Amino acid sequence: ISLYRDWIEPADKKRETIIEADWFSLATALPQPVAVVLGDGVFGNLPDAAAHWRLLDAIAAVLSPGGRFATRMAVIPDGFRSADHCADRLLQRFRAHEIDDAEFGFGMRLVGHHDSCHDPRTHLLDSAKLFAHCAARHAAGEFTDAEHAIIRRYYFGGMNCILSQRAWESVLTNGGWRFQIHRSQGKAWYEYYPVYS
């Protein structure tokens, strides 16, 4: 909460209510049915695909009839080419001013180390390993202090479950969810961080 508090616009802070709770306890945290549940990056913190099903069930339980769920979901998209998003390519694009700070830092975090830190069998991204790798490159002078600070803005030291697009959509379909994909334009991460509703 403290890390991301400055990402909220001052006008929006007046309307903000922070509830610190486990997403699996939505029914307790939100005692009445709600029309909409929004989630950003929630599923990536789960340990496996089975937990994705359980969380979708918890979300469905708090939605009123006709309610909707929307989430920005990190996925490895169909046709993903890791060479287009590897750390060296992201660094090259950042230094050429083709991508901004957020695109660079977030890209390094989610896909920049796909080949070395993401296990396609378990869908787990070893975030501790990727940030250690970035720290070693910084120590070796391959990243400037400013570049490393941008990368560290997205620090997480645990494991993340980043499903393939096919696996995530299978979870939705098999769970009885109808969904739409909303693809935005203009930021590098939109390819691997689409909105599902």
Side-chain angles (χ1 to χ4, degrees):
I1 292 168
S2 61
L3 177 64
Y4 295 113
R5 182 173 292 286
D6 67 325
W7 289 22
I8 305 283
E9 294 295 327
D12 293 331
K13 285 185 181 186
K14 297 172 189 170
R15 300 181 300 138
E16 178 183 41
T17 300
I18 295 172
I19 301 171
E20 190 171 353
D22 188 322
W23 273 77
F24 287 102
S25 302
L26 279 176
T28 305
L30 305 170
Q32 68 279 350
V34 296
V36 178
V37 172
L38 301 174
D40 187 7
V42 176
F43 290 87
N45 295 313
L46 299 177
D48 53 36
H52 285 61
W53 277 307
R54 290 194 309 275
L55 183 52
L56 284 167
D57 286 345
I59 292 167
V62 300
L63 287 174
S64 59
R68 293 183 67 90
F69 169 56
T71 185
R72 221 167 32 158
M73 180 70 185
V75 295
I76 303 302
D78 292 343
F80 179 79
R81 290 175 24 93
S82 60
D84 295 339
H85 301 278
C86 70
D88 288 333
R89 179 69 181 126
L90 290 171
L91 180 61
Q92 178 186 40
R93 292 187 67 203
F94 178 68
R95 289 179 175 172
H97 306 289
E98 295 175 11
I99 57 176
D100 64 21
D101 290 11
E103 290 170 300
F104 173 62
F106 193 56
M108 291 294 262
R109 163 84 172 80
L110 281 185
V111 293
H113 299 83
H114 180 76
D115 288 344
S116 60
C117 298
H118 184 264
D119 184 337
R121 292 174 298 109
T122 63
H123 307 289
L124 292 177
L125 174 66
D126 188 337
S127 298
K129 180 179 176 182
L130 81 85
F131 280 104
H133 184 69
C134 290
R137 291 190 68 179
H138 174 242
E142 296 176 40
F143 296 141
T144 67
D145 290 346
E147 290 164 348
H148 191 238
I150 292 167
I151 295 166
R152 291 285 301 179
R153 172 79 180 190
Y154 297 88
Y155 178 78
F156 176 65
M159 302 293 269
N160 285 119
C161 186
I162 311 295
L163 298 180
S164 67
Q165 178 181 349
R166 182 169 292 130
W168 166 240
E169 291 176 7
S170 176
V171 166
L172 289 171
T173 302
N174 292 335
W177 291 80
R178 293 184 319 241
F179 63 90
Q180 295 176 321
I181 305 169
H182 307 275
R183 297 198 185 277
S184 302
Q185 301 293 317
K187 291 290 183 185
W189 64 67
Y190 290 148
E191 179 181 351
Y192 51 83
Y193 205 37
V195 174
Y196 282 79
S197 67

